[in-house]
């Protein structure tokens, strides 16, 4: 029997040429925005920007650009993802070129694909401009490679947004502890104590080198080198806060 392909029905694209471009803007320094990202900003009618996006890059836009701040501030003002989706779709359906400006890369814990799905459901065309992800750039800017020949052959990037044991956590920390890869933790400053405990309990040695890179790429960048056992105390003593990248593994002890 011959199979019949199922046709997928989508809403028609907006007649006025409206569209959304997701721009991953890198770890913070506007100099790390890609050429394609800058071109999108320069062509935007509306820019919808995150707290961690390099706001200096908005100066590249036309003088008449509309800027919408959808920052999500820890323990402060927060714009829901549903509201962000609504803003993107509303402006695009009005015929505007909307640039969604996000820190890092849109598809690495950036909810970028959720925004693509929301636009697709509304018939809004989207383009994604990849960004420099802080999971690699943060350690690199601190002089730490996430892989090194003869030492480690891979790296694993995880979100520390929810702690080990939380109902929303999908991570197996015992497997991570035994993976033999460099562990890079994003959004894990608040949950670092629980992450350390889970990794040690999972079998990772307490004296495993660890580094925290705060404000990567900015003038305020700071690096704290420590061990897994002492990372929390050393980070607290140094006043390290979000945003920061944690690097756990032997590469964290390497120096040029």
């Amino acid at each position: 029997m011959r199979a019949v392909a199922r046709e997928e029905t989508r809403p028609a694209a907006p007649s006025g040429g409206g569209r959304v471009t997701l721009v991953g803007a890198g770890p913070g320094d506007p100099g790390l925005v890609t050429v394609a990202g800058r071109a999108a900003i320069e062509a935007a009618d509306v820019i919808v920007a995150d707290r961690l996006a390099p706001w200096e890059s908005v100066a590249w836009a036309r003088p008449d650009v509309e800027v919408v701040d959808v920052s999500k501030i820890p323990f402060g003002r927060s714009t829901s993802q549903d509201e962000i989706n609504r803003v993107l779709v509303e402006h695009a359906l009005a015929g505007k070129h909307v640039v969604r400006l996000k820190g890092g890369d849109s598809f690495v814990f950036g909810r970028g694909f959720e925004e693509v799905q929301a636009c697709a459901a509304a018939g809004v065309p989207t383009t994604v401009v990849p960004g420099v992800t802080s999971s690699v750039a943060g350690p690199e800017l601190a002089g730490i490679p996430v892989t090194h020949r003869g030492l480690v052959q891979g790296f694993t990037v995880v979100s520390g947004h929810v702690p080990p044991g939380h109902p929303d956590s999908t991570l197996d920390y015992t497997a991570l502890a035994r993976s033999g890869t460099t562990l890079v933790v994003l959004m894990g400053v608040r949950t670092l104590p629980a992450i350390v405990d889970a990794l040690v309990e999972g079998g990772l040695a307490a004296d495993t080198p660890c580094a925290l890179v705060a404000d990567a790429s900015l003038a305020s960048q700071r690096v704290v080198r420590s061990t897994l056992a002492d990372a929390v105390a050393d980070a607290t003593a140094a006043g390290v806060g979000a945003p920061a990248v944690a690097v756990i593994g032997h590469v964290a002890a390497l120096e040029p």
Side-chain angles (χ1 to χ4, degrees), residues 24-50:
D29 181 348
L32 295 177
V33 177
T34 65
V35 173
R38 176 163 184 160
I41 293 170
E42 291 173 341
D45 299 310
V46 180
I47 296 176
V48 180
D50 268 356

Side-chain angles (χ1 to χ4, degrees), residues 74-214:
F75 308 108
R77 179 175 65 85
S78 181
T79 307
S80 71
Q81 189 60 52
D82 286 344
E83 174 63 11
I84 293 172
N85 295 346
R86 186 196 66 77
V87 169
L88 296 176
V89 169
E90 180 179 275
H91 283 291
L93 291 178
K96 297 178 181 179
H97 177 204
V98 185
V99 165
R100 176 70 170 104
L101 191 63
K102 305 165 77 72
D105 180 271
S106 300
F107 281 11
V108 181
F109 306 132
R111 296 189 175 182
F113 197 67
E114 294 180 38
E115 293 166 358
V116 169
Q117 290 177 314
C119 289
V124 173
T126 59
T127 302
V128 179
V129 178
V132 176
T133 172
S134 60
S135 61
V136 175
E140 186 172 351
L141 291 166
I144 301 170
V146 292
T147 63
H148 188 66
R149 185 162 62 95
L151 186 63
V152 62
Q153 298 174 351
F155 64 98
T156 304
V157 182
V158 301
S159 167
H161 182 64
V162 294
H166 190 282
D168 293 336
S169 177
T170 62
L171 297 175
D172 183 337
Y173 279 89
T174 298
L176 291 173
R178 299 176 180 177
S179 68
T181 65
T182 301
L183 302 180
V184 180
V185 183
L186 304 182
M187 301 179 291
V189 172
R190 179 179 56 84
T191 58
L192 188 60
I195 290 172
V196 167
D197 289 345
L199 290 173
V200 172
E201 184 177 337
L204 191 59
D207 61 354
T208 299
C210 179
L212 287 100
V213 185

Side-chain angles (χ1 to χ4, degrees), residues 212-233:
L212 287 100
V213 185
D215 293 340
S217 82
L218 302 179
S220 55
Q221 175 177 305
R222 288 183 296 158
V223 182
V224 176
R225 293 189 185 242
S226 183
T227 63
L228 189 60
D230 296 329
V232 173

Side-chain angles (χ1 to χ4, degrees), residues 229-249:
D230 296 329
V232 173
D234 289 346
T236 301
V240 170
V245 179
V247 188
I248 304 168

